[in-house]
Amino acid sequence: SSPSNGLLSSRPYVKRWGEPQAASWGDIHYYNYEADCEDPNGYPPARFVSEHGFLAWPSLSQYANVSAPEDWSRDSAFSQFRMRHAGGTVQAEAMMRRHFRVPLATAVPGGRSQAQLFDDWLWLTQAQQARCYETAFARWRRDRSSAAGTMGILYWQLNAIWQGPDWSTLEHDTTPRLAHYAVARVYAPLLLTATGRAPG
């Protein structure tokens, strides 16, 4: 389903014309991999967010079930085959570099093993996804009392359909990812958040 204009009334049946993503009545699908997902000011006001997400990779225990140790690199042919979002690896790494020290892609002599580096990468993608979701959802929950009057947020997606990068918060075997816990916190009945104000 795509964002729609909705109805002005059902009796008589009158459709609303104009911008379907208007903050006062529309709903949005929001994906922006270039913007800083940890900046709450980067999210658009919306009456309803019907789709939102950020990529993460499965845990090494999930990958190990369907791959061999030579596949354990974000740049491996296997990892690229499992990536179904064009440019997803580059986009995720760019986001993580804004907030974290990203592990090397390939092991070097005397350093961490390739399995350890890949495990670090996988975990970090999940940490970044969790922080993205928590920032976005807290912002939109605060917008409930703004002009947008945000009344709901849905994220894409709940469960993984295979062991590969996706937007889910549950692994293929239903093990929760870090983002699943972040979503539970931010959807709590009572949420305390803080925002900054521009000087002046």
Side-chain angles (χ1 to χ4, degrees):
S1 69
S2 295
S4 67
N5 293 328
L7 297 176
L8 283 173
S9 68
S10 59
R11 287 191 175 167
Y13 186 82
V14 179
K15 284 190 171 186
R16 183 185 305 274
W17 299 101
E19 175 58 46
Q21 295 184 4
S24 59
W25 70 76
D27 70 305
I28 66 167
H29 291 183
Y30 184 75
Y31 295 90
N32 184 347
Y33 302 108
E34 305 304 320
D36 183 357
C37 73
E38 293 190 40
D39 177 4
N41 297 316
Y43 293 95
R47 180 76 169 152
F48 187 80
V49 182
S50 58
E51 193 173 308
H52 172 69
F54 194 82
L55 278 169
W57 276 245
S59 63
L60 187 57
S61 64
Q62 295 291 308
Y63 257 131
N65 293 328
V66 295
S67 64
E70 57 268 19
D71 298 323
W72 296 352
S73 167
R74 61 184 177 256
D75 299 324
S76 72
F78 176 81
S79 290
Q80 294 308 309
F81 172 73
R82 290 276 168 146
M83 170 55 72
R84 298 302 180 166
H85 173 66
T89 303
V90 171
Q91 292 167 341
E93 184 173 344
M95 185 64 67
M96 291 187 301
R97 287 196 184 284
R98 292 179 180 196
H99 305 285
F100 300 103
R101 190 174 69 194
V102 175
L104 297 172
T106 307
V108 296
R112 294 175 63 77
S113 72
Q114 186 61 41
Q116 290 170 322
L117 287 174
F118 192 50
D119 192 32
D120 292 347
W121 161 264
L122 298 172
W123 184 88
L124 195 58
T125 67
Q126 292 190 24
Q128 184 64 73
Q129 180 193 46
R131 290 171 56 144
C132 293
Y133 282 18
E134 201 159 19
T135 301
F137 299 172
R139 157 62 196 270
W140 284 318
R141 282 197 64 186
R142 282 192 301 275
D143 280 354
R144 169 64 180 97
S145 57
S146 74
T150 305
M151 293 300 291
I153 309 155
L154 299 175
Y155 67 91
W156 181 261
Q157 71 202 57
L158 180 62
N159 59 316
I161 60 167
W162 72 342
Q163 300 91 331
D166 61 25
W167 297 262
S168 68
T169 61
L170 294 175
E171 302 269 36
H172 183 257
D173 69 354
T174 71
T175 300
R177 290 184 181 171
L178 296 175
H180 202 71
Y181 298 106
V183 168
R185 280 191 306 273
V186 81
Y187 277 153
L190 180 63
L191 177 67
L192 177 64
T193 65
T195 61
R197 286 191 169 165

